[in-house]
Amino acid sequence: MAIPAVTSEERALIKSYLLLTFIHKVFERDCRVIQESGVFKTPQLYVEVVGNGAKQAAILLREVKQEFSRRTIKVYDIRKGNDGIEARYACRGYVGSITILWPSFRKEMMERMRAYLGLHASDPSPGQPHAAASH
């Protein structure tokens, strides 16, 4: 009997794992930079905000890893290339790979990071004006 292909739900879990891994690293790095920069008058406030984002990402990453365990999924050989992120995985005996191009990966990272920091997805990027409300 042939092993069924990886489901879209399993691929979404793998993608989430990759995103959460990178997001957590970025938040942790940003916390260190804020603490060590000497630029902020109240670095502890910013570290707390970014640290809460890191905690949220860590909780979700732990949940994804638990789901990996239940579904017999293992991600290995994660590579950052010029075009994007590539990872090899094993899922229920099936070995495959996933590639996420940088523009898509960065966009989803930013959307998730905003959510983990408690920011609204519709908030403009720094320096961009708010859209005028239409009536």
Side-chain angles (χ1 to χ4, degrees), residues 41-54:
K41 289 232 186 239
T42 55
Q44 63 276 13
L45 294 176
Y46 300 97
V47 168
E48 184 177 338
V49 170
V50 177
N52 285 339

Side-chain angles (χ1 to χ4, degrees), residues 22-36:
F22 278 81
I23 288 167
H24 189 259
K25 286 179 186 177
V26 168
F27 278 148
E28 290 292 317
R29 180 199 165 280
D30 287 354
C31 282
R32 281 192 309 277
V33 169
I34 291 167
Q35 287 174 322
E36 297 168 0

Side-chain angles (χ1 to χ4, degrees), residues 53-116:
K55 287 175 190 168
Q56 180 70 23
I59 289 166
L60 294 169
L61 187 57
R62 187 170 42 251
E63 290 173 1
V64 168
K65 287 178 179 179
Q66 289 170 348
E67 193 61 27
F68 273 13
S69 219
R70 281 191 281 280
R71 294 173 181 250
T72 320
I73 300 172
K74 180 165 176 51
V75 174
Y76 58 95
D77 194 26
I78 301 169
R79 295 179 189 223
K80 294 190 285 185
N82 291 333
D83 295 331
I85 301 293
E86 182 179 358
R88 299 202 38 84
Y89 60 84
C91 178
R92 293 177 280 105
Y94 176 81
V95 175
S97 66
I98 185 171
T99 301
I100 309 169
L101 299 178
W102 282 124
S104 171
F105 194 78
R106 286 187 183 112
K107 182 178 185 277
E108 189 158 350
M109 269 186 71
M110 288 302 290
E111 289 170 359
R112 288 180 178 222
M113 290 171 78
R114 292 184 75 75
Y116 304 157

